[in-house]
Amino acid sequence: FFFAIMKQYNTLLSVIFLLLGATASQCYSVVRNDDVPGTIRGRLTSPGASYADSKVFLHLSDGVQLETFVDHTGYFIFSNITQGVHLLQPFHKSLLFPEVRVEVGKRGQVTRATLSLNRQVVLRPPFVLQPLTEISYFDKRKPFDLKSFFFSPYGLMISFFLFA
């Protein structure tokens, strides 16, 4: 008798867990939707680039600065963003990305997003940002030139010493 009751409860528990699993997956798909109010999503794209040290800063209109890291595929997300005009600044150690001016409406939806340098370019969420240029921290060394060596102060001193 006890085992018959346990079999019924086992099937009942299986059905409950299946329903809970289906409900949880539906909730997850709702959260992943791009129309969630107060979220700013985007992706940094660059062929062959590593996003290990990449960050994205969001300067809110009330002076608060938010920061998030970029995952290995270049995606980023900001949540719970309030109404206002905000500035999105991607940072990468060797690439220069454009800044984006993001306007968020009363309901938390992105109403307008433009590049801060060129307000004519309108972006749609989720933002896909490509680098403007590669950052070079050092000047490239010029090749050795014999003429410029002789007309430099060191070359002049050596030539006066040898020929004087």
Side-chain angles (χ1 to χ4, degrees):
F1 176 75
F2 178 73
F3 292 111
I5 293 174
M6 288 303 289
K7 280 187 179 180
Q8 289 175 351
Y9 282 124
N10 252 351
T11 57
L12 182 63
L13 285 175
S14 301
V15 170
I16 289 173
F17 284 131
L18 281 173
L19 289 174
L20 285 175
T23 307
S25 68
Q26 287 174 354
C27 291
Y28 178 74
S29 66
V30 170
V31 171
R32 285 289 299 168
N33 190 358
D34 288 332
D35 296 333
V36 175
T39 61
I40 296 176
R41 297 175 189 269
R43 182 176 183 216
L44 304 180
T45 61
S46 180
S50 170
Y51 300 107
D53 297 329
S54 298
K55 296 180 186 179
V56 179
F57 296 99
L58 183 66
H59 302 278
L60 301 178
S61 57
D62 58 358
V64 176
Q65 177 180 326
L66 302 177
E67 173 183 355
T68 187
F69 289 94
V70 178
D71 69 0
H72 67 281
T73 58
Y75 285 97
F76 63 89
I77 185 170
F78 288 100
S79 301
N80 301 325
I81 306 301
T82 58
Q83 175 186 3
V85 179
H86 313 300
L87 183 66
L88 186 76
Q89 288 182 317
F91 173 77
H92 189 274
K93 64 181 178 181
S94 63
L95 298 171
L96 179 65
F97 286 93
E99 296 178 349
V100 179
R101 184 176 180 262
V102 181
E103 297 177 19
V104 178
K106 290 181 183 178
R107 296 183 182 175
Q109 299 290 340
V110 175
T111 57
R112 183 175 167 90
T114 58
L115 295 179
S116 61
L117 296 176
N118 184 1
R119 300 252 173 111
Q120 302 299 323
V121 178
V122 178
L123 302 173
R124 300 198 187 285
F127 307 123
V128 178
L129 302 174
Q130 296 178 348
L132 298 173
T133 186
E134 192 171 330
I135 297 174
S136 171
Y137 292 102
F138 303 104
D139 290 333
K140 291 194 177 196
R141 192 173 191 166
K142 295 178 184 175
F144 181 74
D145 183 21
L146 192 59
K147 179 182 172 186
S148 62
F149 174 73
F150 279 121
F151 290 110
S152 71
Y154 295 115
L156 291 173
M157 287 190 317
I158 290 172
S159 60
F160 282 130
F161 177 74
L162 291 176
F163 300 115

